[in-house]
């Protein structure tokens, strides 16, 4: 018996809800007792929560027990251990109850017709123990001990309403206790999983390592602890390959092994076959079972135990971790036998790779023929890049010649990267470097290493790595060398070292041939066009970049790849053919998803987002960037993630959403090098926020610092995109040399394109820098409005209208100004750009017009989805009900509802009901 106090309560990661439930149970114990069943998978933290309860229970007497499999056949064994500290209180019971309870606790059992009396006796004993101080009774692993104890405790747990006593039970995920509230322990989130890992070490592990371990651990706290305790220092630092599963000899492995040992032998055999048959094809499993002399029905005990679910479509493990632990817990000989059985029933042609993988898993030592078969099966047309990479790693181990092993390791690394596994790819390259001195292999490896540096590491060193790799492979694979140079060019632009692009362009020109294949010509044209653009030679840049765009639209066969399409899309953006660039980027995104090429997906989404920005589709660009951010984070592409965060910050700033913009900038953090693209995008976003708040000098200073024109340093391309904002800020200043220089660069670029939007922005900039009230300013503004495309760039047109209205009002022409200010205000309202709409409203008032909320019907102010949500709110539906009816998350409904309030100029659901109560709104809404 223990007296508990609230001291040294350990933090339980990801268990806030369960801890809250425990505290609620214990805080109310003096006003009437209650019970709670905590259930979850092995290792989910059930015992830790009991410990938490013991420590939290202030001034409670604690009786603690645990169900033991070794005593599962001994009636009332668990009850005997639980009640032993209070057996002296049996004297408080009536003689018949005292006698019955003592017989049961002494091992003499209890007649079936006396079990109710025994349960009442236990309740009476516990009630007597709780007279002086509240009582907490806990039983861990209730389902693993004897059934009689479980029945008595369930009886007690249902009868605590008037007693100062709490009962806290734990059991497996499938267990229930009728009449007792339950609280399930689900998997931890990735964030909480990483926190559990960090708690085990004096310093956190490398970020990619932590993310990978979080996936391997499957959100199971004990699995994460076992992994953390088993890893070597090299694995923690990301220098060695990580295990595929938690250790079989860890606490979780032992728990699963004990659980499996309680199953019949045939069930264990079938479970192992199901665990190793990854696709879970019913026909394959049935044939393997037949070969093993068992039947699929043998899985029934495992299904009852909650390990699997057997359905016509196959066998499903309730948790991915269960599959891993079943395989890891089996002896090596049994695993190899199961692999051989599965290989024997698989089709040698249709299931070639799976069959070879099973044969390899059943083989010890080297086997050159099997290594060849694995390689041929993996490099055909891989539908699963990660599996193909694993197969090639195994082929390298089976190889009897070092050169063959090196080639297979190199391809395995490339496939791992394609699958979005940069840590695995990097470790395979390190193995290759340690075992192979072949210059050709080393050159190909450096090319891949450079790409990893560009996307995931310090991009400043990626250009040198890629340039060196291009030189190494140029004599044997010219196409690959050109691709390496294009990547090097991307690296120097990312890092803000555009002056180095001249070398990239010169070397690419040396490799160019008159009759290059389309994909090679496309890449060469991109490099030549960007090099010419950066040196200001737009006459040469335009034809080369347009040629790349045209070639991108003609790609087919083996040359049609996400990489080639992304190159064509990048060329389209530089030459300002936004529609074509968007189509190419969209095609690259679709192809990367279709082929599972996750390494290219984030980059393709980045290009699509930029194209959508130029097309004026800001909401679509933000959604694309959020998608790209998710992909980049899932695949360890830190640099790509920071670019997407930068774009999101800019897009939020353009809409004057300060909170979101600054939050995205904070997410970027301090990691990006000054001068890099993420750093520049963050600076651009801050400058736009400054501009929206009237801090013109600060905005101009930030934007001027994005690049040092004439030196080739800094983010020249980002500054070109941001030039209209730089000029707008500088128009309020007396000294404007940086803006004038930036506009000259923008003008040369815009005039070389066929883009009406770029030319409209150029005219607007010249209007802003012209003397106020001059004919030149009005002429340039009218030119800008004439050039603004009607099908795209609606936001930018509204910005031009706002600025022109300001110019006219300040030139004492308020009547002329109102027309443009009204148009700007209406457009900003429709786009949900409330801050800019407020500016237009303020200008209208300054022009002598009294304005209230925009007189626009809901059908015009809201999107279709927003209108439907607003209608449902007006009908009295809650957010949760709306989410269910529209198949959305409640978070999405919340987001749309905030936008509805913004656009309608209202602040509450009550005002929304009033708005939709009018005949005009109802009529328009129903016509939508």
């Amino acid at each position: 018996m223990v007296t508990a106090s609230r001291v040294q309560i350990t933090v339980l990661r990801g268990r806030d809800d369960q801890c809250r439930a425990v505290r609620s149970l214990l805080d109310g114990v003096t006003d009437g007792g209650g019970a709670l069943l905590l259930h979850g998978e092995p290792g989910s933290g059930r015992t830790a929560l009991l410990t938490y309860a013991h420590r939290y229970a202030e001034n409670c007497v604690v009786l603690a027990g645990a169900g033991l499999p070794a005593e599962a056949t001994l009636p009332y064994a668990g009850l005997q251990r639980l009640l032993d500290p209070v057996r002296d209180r049996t004297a408080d019971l009536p003689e018949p109850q005292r006698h019955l309870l003592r017989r049961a606790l002494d091992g003499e059992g209890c007649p079936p017709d006396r079990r109710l009396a025994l349960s009442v006796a236990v309740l009476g004993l516990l009630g007597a123990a709780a007279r002086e101080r509240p009582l907490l009774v806990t039983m861990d692993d209730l389902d693993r001990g004897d059934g009689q104890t479980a029945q008595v405790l369930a009886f007690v747990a249902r009868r605590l309403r008037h007693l100062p006593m709490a009962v806290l039970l734990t059991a497996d995920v499938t267990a229930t206790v009728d009449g007792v509230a339950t609280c399930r322990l689900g998997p931890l989130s990735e964030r909480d999983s990483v926190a559990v890992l960090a708690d085990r070490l004096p310093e956190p592990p490398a970020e990619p390592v932590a993310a990978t371990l979080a996936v391997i651990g499957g959100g199971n706290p004990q699995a994460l602890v076992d992994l953390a305790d088993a890893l070597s220092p090299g694995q923690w630092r990301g220098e060695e390959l990580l295990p595929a599963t938690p250790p079989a000899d860890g606490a979780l492995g032992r728990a699963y092994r004990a659980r499996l040992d309680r199953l019949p032998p045939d069930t264990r055999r079938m479970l192992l076959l199901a665990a190793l048959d990854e696709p879970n094809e019913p026909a394959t499993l049935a044939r393997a079972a037949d070969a093993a002399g068992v039947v699929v029905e043998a899985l029934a005990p495992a299904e009852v135990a909650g390990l699997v679910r057997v359905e016509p479509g196959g066998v499903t493990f309730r948790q991915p971790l269960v599959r891993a632990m079943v395989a890891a817990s089996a002896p090596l000989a049994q695993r190899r036998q199961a692999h051989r059985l599965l290989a024997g029933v698989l089709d040698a042609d249709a299931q070639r790779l799976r069959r070879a993988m099973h044969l390899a898993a059943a083989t010890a030592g080297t086997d050159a023929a099997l290594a060849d078969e694995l390689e041929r099966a993996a490099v055909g047309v891989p539908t699963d890049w990660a599996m193909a990479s694993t197969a090639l790693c195994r082929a390298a181990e089976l190889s009897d010649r070092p050169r063959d092993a090196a080639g297979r390791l190199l391809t395995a690394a490339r496939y791992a990267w394609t699958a979005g596994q940069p840590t695995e790819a990097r470790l395979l390259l390190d193995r290759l470097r340690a075992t192979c001195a072949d210059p050709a292999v080393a050159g190909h490896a450096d090319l891949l290493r450079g790409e990893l540096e560009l996307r995931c590491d310090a991009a400043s060193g990626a250009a040198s790595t890629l340039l060196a790799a291009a030189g190494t492979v140029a004599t044997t694979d010219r196409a690959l060398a050109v691709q390496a140079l294009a990547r090097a060019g991307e690296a120097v632009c990312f890092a803000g070292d555009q002056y180095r692009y001249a070398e990239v362009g010169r070397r690419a020109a040396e490799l160019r041939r008159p009759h290059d294949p389309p994909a090679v010509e496309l890449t060469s044209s991109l490099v030549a066009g960007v090099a010419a653009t950066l040196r200001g030679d737009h006459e040469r840049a335009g034809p080369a970049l347009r040629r790349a765009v045209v070639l991108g639209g003609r790609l087919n066969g083996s040359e049609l790849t996400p990489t080639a399409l992304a190159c064509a899309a990048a060329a389209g953006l530089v030459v300002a053919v936004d529609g074509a660039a968007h189509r190419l980027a969209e095609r690259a995104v679709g192809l990367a998803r279709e082929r599972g090429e996750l390494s290219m997906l984030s980059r393709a989404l980045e290009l699509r987002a930029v194209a959508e920005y130029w097309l004026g589709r800001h909401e679509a660009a933000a959604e694309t960037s959020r998608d790209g951010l998710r992909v980049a984070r899932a695949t360890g592409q830190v640099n790509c993630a920071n670019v997407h965060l930068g774009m999101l910050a800019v897009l939020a700033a353009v809409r004057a959403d300060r909170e979101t913009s600054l939050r995205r900038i904070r997410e970027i953090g301090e990691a990006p090098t000054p001068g890099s693209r993420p750093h520049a995008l963050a600076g651009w976003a801050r400058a736009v926020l400054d501009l929206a708040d009237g801090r013109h000098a600060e905005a101009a200073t930030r934007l001027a610092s994005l690049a040092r024109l004439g030196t080739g340093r800094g983010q020249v391309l980002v500054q070109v995109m941001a030039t209209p904002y730089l000029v707008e800020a500088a128009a309020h200043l007396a000294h404007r040399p940086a803006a004038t220089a930036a506009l000259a660069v923008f003008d040369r670029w815009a005039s070389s394109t066929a883009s009406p939007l770029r030319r409209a922005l150029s005219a607007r900039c010249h209007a802003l820098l012209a003397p106020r009230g001059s004919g030149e300013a009005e002429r340039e503004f009218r030119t800008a409005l004439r050039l603004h495309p009607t099908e795209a760039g609606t936001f930018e047109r509204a910005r031009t209208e706002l600025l022109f209205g300001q110019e006219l009002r300040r030139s004492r022409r308020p009547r002329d100004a109102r027309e443009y200010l009204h148009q700007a205000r209406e457009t900003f309202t429709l786009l949900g750009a409330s801050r800019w709409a407020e500016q237009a409203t303020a200008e209208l008032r300054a022009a002598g017009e009294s304005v209230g909320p925009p007189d626009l019907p809901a059908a015009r102010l809201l999107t279709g989805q927003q209108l439907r949500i607003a209608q449902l709110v007006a009908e009295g539906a809650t957010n949760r009900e709306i989410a269910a009816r529209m198949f959305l998350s409640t978070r999405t409904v919340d987001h749309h509802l905030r936008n509805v309030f913004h656009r309608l100029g209202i602040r509450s659901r009550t005002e929304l009901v009033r708005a939709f109560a009018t005949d005009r709104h109802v009529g328009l809404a129903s016509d939508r």
Side-chain angles (χ1 to χ4, degrees):
M1 186 164 58
V2 179
T3 299
S5 61
R6 298 184 191 178
V7 294
Q8 298 179 343
I9 297 181
T10 305
V11 175
L12 297 178
R13 304 289 186 181
R15 296 295 181 229
D16 292 348
D17 291 344
Q18 292 80 7
C19 289
R20 194 177 300 113
V22 169
R23 292 196 302 271
S24 177
L25 176 71
L26 295 175
D27 288 342
V29 71
T30 55
D31 300 324
L36 182 66
L37 170 66
L38 301 169
H39 62 124
E41 300 287 343
S44 58
R46 300 174 310 203
T47 303
L49 276 165
L50 290 188
T51 303
Y52 175 89
H54 294 165
R55 292 176 175 174
Y56 183 83
E58 185 176 17
N59 298 324
C60 281
V61 174
V62 176
L63 293 179
L68 301 178
E71 297 183 354
T73 58
L74 304 178
Y76 305 108
L79 195 64
Q80 189 271 335
R81 284 183 289 105
L82 177 71
L83 299 180
D84 187 64
V86 292
R87 283 191 69 169
D88 59 321
R89 304 301 296 265
T90 57
D92 297 340
L93 298 176
E95 174 56 30
Q97 290 185 4
R98 181 168 63 249
H99 177 71
L100 186 63
L101 179 58
R102 284 178 174 173
R103 279 177 54 88
L105 298 184
D106 289 340
E108 297 180 28
C110 176
D113 60 342
R114 300 288 290 160
R115 288 175 184 168
L116 175 60
L118 175 64
S119 298
V120 172
V122 172
L123 180 63
L125 176 63
L126 294 174
R131 284 175 192 160
E132 298 172 3
R133 299 172 63 187
L135 181 66
L136 170 62
V137 178
T138 66
M139 178 62 75
D140 200 7
D141 295 329
L142 180 72
D143 55 325
R144 298 186 66 190
D146 64 275
Q148 293 80 3
T149 294
Q151 291 174 0
V152 170
L153 289 179
F155 177 93
V156 170
R158 290 189 287 264
R159 290 163 173 80
L160 301 176
R161 182 177 302 175
H162 303 296
L163 294 175
M165 180 168 56
V167 173
L168 193 56
L169 311 171
T170 77
D172 188 69
V173 67
T174 58
T176 58
V177 177
D178 291 342
V180 175
T182 62
C183 185
R184 180 166 182 177
L185 282 65
L188 301 182
S189 67
E190 180 179 343
R191 181 176 180 179
D192 289 323
S193 295
V194 171
V196 170
L197 292 166
D199 289 342
R200 304 297 294 182
L201 281 185
E203 57 186 41
E207 185 174 337
V209 172
T212 302
L213 290 175
V215 174
I216 295 170
N220 185 290
Q222 188 60 58
L224 295 165
V225 169
D226 291 349
L227 282 165
D229 292 345
L231 295 187
S232 68
Q235 287 173 319
W236 272 114
R237 293 191 297 269
E239 298 167 356
E240 300 172 13
L241 282 173
L242 296 173
T245 63
D249 58 351
L252 185 64
R254 292 193 299 272
Y256 269 106
R257 194 157 50 245
R259 195 174 178 188
L260 294 171
D261 286 344
R262 297 197 295 272
L263 297 174
D266 284 355
T267 302
R268 295 200 300 271
R269 198 172 300 123
M270 276 303 306
L271 264 182
L272 181 57
L273 287 170
L276 297 178
D277 180 37
E278 191 69 40
N280 288 325
E281 294 176 350
T284 300
L285 190 59
R287 292 196 301 272
D290 186 59
V294 294
V295 292
V296 175
E297 287 73 15
L299 285 170
E303 191 169 19
V304 171
L307 295 170
V308 296
R309 187 170 59 251
V310 182
E311 297 173 322
V315 177
T316 303
F317 284 84
R318 293 187 180 272
Q319 294 288 339
L321 191 61
V322 176
R323 176 192 293 275
M325 297 312 298
V326 166
S329 300
L332 178 60
Q334 290 183 13
R335 287 203 305 272
R336 286 181 173 170
Q337 181 185 17
H339 279 298
R340 281 192 290 269
L341 281 171
L342 288 165
V345 300
L346 290 171
D347 188 278
D349 296 320
Q351 299 164 310
R352 186 177 185 181
L353 181 56
R354 284 173 56 201
R355 180 176 180 275
M357 287 288 288
H358 282 301
L359 288 173
T363 301
T366 61
D367 188 327
L370 182 53
D372 291 341
E373 170 62 13
L374 262 178
E375 182 176 27
R376 286 192 295 268
V379 301
V381 183
T383 55
D384 185 334
W385 297 97
M387 183 177 180
S389 174
T390 302
L392 286 163
C393 286
R394 185 69 182 114
E397 295 168 354
L398 292 169
S399 303
D400 58 356
R401 292 188 299 180
R403 184 179 181 84
D404 291 342
R408 288 159 180 163
L409 275 180
L410 176 60
T411 308
R414 188 168 70 249
Y415 283 7
W417 168 231
T418 303
Q421 299 175 341
T423 301
E424 288 79 356
R426 195 179 294 108
L427 293 172
L428 289 169
L429 290 175
D430 290 343
R431 279 177 59 187
L432 187 61
R433 176 186 283 168
T435 58
C436 178
D438 187 333
V441 174
H444 285 74
D446 284 342
L447 196 158
L448 179 54
R449 186 174 284 108
E451 187 172 350
L452 288 165
E453 292 172 354
L454 169 61
R455 306 285 185 221
C456 311
D457 299 318
S460 56
S464 297
T465 303
L466 289 162
L467 287 170
T472 303
V473 303
T475 56
T476 57
D477 194 334
R478 190 169 53 83
L480 195 60
V482 172
Q483 185 178 329
L485 290 171
R487 284 278 189 273
E490 188 183 338
V492 300
C493 288
F494 180 92
D497 299 328
Q498 278 92 339
Y499 69 93
R500 298 182 65 184
Y501 211 104
E503 179 190 356
V504 175
R506 175 183 57 77
R507 290 177 58 175
E510 292 172 355
L511 293 174
R512 193 163 190 167
R513 300 292 183 270
H515 302 292
D516 275 336
V520 178
E521 184 186 354
L522 187 162
T523 308
S524 299
S525 298
L526 169 67
V527 174
V530 174
T533 298
L534 290 174
R535 65 174 183 266
D537 187 356
H538 297 291
E539 290 184 0
R540 293 180 183 274
L545 294 168
R546 292 188 187 94
R547 177 62 178 166
V549 173
V550 170
L551 289 168
R554 296 177 180 173
L555 293 170
N556 56 55
S558 62
E559 292 192 317
L560 180 61
T561 65
T563 298
L565 289 169
C567 286
L573 290 171
V574 177
V575 80
V577 285
D578 305 321
H582 186 266
R583 287 190 295 274
L584 289 163
E586 178 70 20
R587 200 174 177 197
V589 169
L591 196 60
R593 290 193 197 279
E594 178 186 326
R595 297 183 179 180
E597 296 189 23
L598 299 182
S599 59
M600 269 304 299
L601 182 54
S602 181
R603 170 64 174 163
L605 287 165
E606 174 193 333
L607 295 168
R608 189 176 80 180
V610 175
E612 287 164 343
Y613 168 84
W614 281 116
L615 289 168
R617 305 173 190 169
H618 291 182
E619 288 189 12
E623 182 56 40
T624 295
S625 288
R626 285 190 288 269
D627 191 7
L629 177 61
R630 286 190 292 269
V631 172
R633 284 175 167 168
T635 56
Q637 299 185 55
V638 178
N639 295 330
C640 289
N642 284 336
V643 170
H644 285 294
L645 286 169
M647 275 300 298
L648 287 167
V650 169
L651 290 163
V654 165
R655 296 170 64 88
D657 183 350
R658 168 176 290 277
E659 181 182 350
T660 300
S661 185
L662 293 178
R663 175 167 57 83
R664 293 303 190 180
I665 291 171
R666 286 193 297 271
E667 286 184 67
I668 295 174
E670 303 297 327
T673 306
S676 66
R677 186 171 299 146
H679 188 269
L681 290 170
W684 179 10
R686 288 184 183 276
V688 175
L689 293 175
D690 288 336
L691 184 62
D693 291 340
R695 295 191 295 273
H696 303 109
E698 292 88 341
T701 300
R702 287 188 195 277
L703 292 168
S705 68
L706 297 182
R708 296 186 290 280
L709 298 177
T711 68
R713 296 181 184 274
Q715 289 295 322
V716 176
L717 298 178
V718 174
Q719 190 181 64
V720 168
M721 291 179 70
T723 293
Y725 292 94
L726 171 57
V727 170
E728 185 177 342
H732 296 266
L733 308 177
H735 195 55
R736 311 168 176 173
T740 303
L743 180 56
V745 172
F746 187 90
D747 281 343
R748 288 196 296 273
W749 173 57
S751 62
S752 73
T753 73
S755 168
L757 174 61
R758 305 318 191 275
R759 297 186 181 200
L761 293 174
S762 174
R764 185 174 86 191
C765 289
H766 282 282
L768 289 168
L769 295 181
R772 176 166 295 167
S774 65
E776 178 187 357
E778 181 171 353
R779 184 172 60 254
E780 293 289 357
F781 268 125
R782 293 191 183 280
T783 298
L785 290 173
R786 177 173 50 81
L787 287 170
H788 271 299
T790 56
E791 74 283 357
T794 307
F795 178 83
E796 290 298 343
R797 181 181 182 86
R799 294 273 293 123
T800 300
E801 289 167 341
L802 172 60
L803 293 168
F804 189 23
Q806 288 175 342
E807 164 68 17
L808 291 171
R809 183 189 66 77
R810 293 169 188 176
S811 300
R812 300 184 179 180
R813 297 170 59 185
R815 181 176 298 176
D816 294 335
R818 290 171 197 157
E819 174 189 353
Y820 300 103
L821 293 172
H822 271 299
Q823 291 171 355
R825 181 169 177 260
E826 181 174 328
T827 300
F828 289 139
T829 302
L830 287 169
L831 294 175
S834 56
R835 183 63 180 274
W836 297 113
E838 290 167 6
Q839 282 201 16
T841 301
E843 287 291 334
L844 276 168
R845 287 173 178 152
E849 185 156 329
S850 178
V851 289
D855 187 20
L856 291 170
R860 289 188 62 195
L861 284 170
L862 305 180
T863 66
Q865 194 167 53
Q866 289 170 347
L867 186 61
R868 179 62 180 147
I869 289 171
Q871 286 177 305
L872 292 171
V873 170
E875 293 169 6
T878 66
N879 286 12
R880 187 178 297 277
E881 290 168 343
I882 295 169
R885 289 175 66 174
M886 297 186 67
F887 301 100
L888 301 172
S889 69
T890 53
R891 181 176 296 179
T892 300
V893 173
D894 290 340
H895 171 75
H896 283 306
L897 197 53
R898 285 195 297 272
N899 287 336
V900 168
F901 287 178
H902 256 309
R903 293 188 177 195
L904 297 184
I906 58 180
R907 297 183 179 181
S908 70
R909 300 171 83 96
T910 303
E911 290 183 41
L912 182 61
V913 172
R914 291 198 197 105
F916 272 77
T918 66
D919 292 338
R920 180 167 60 89
H921 277 183
V922 171
L924 287 170
S926 63
D927 292 339
R928 181 74 175 205

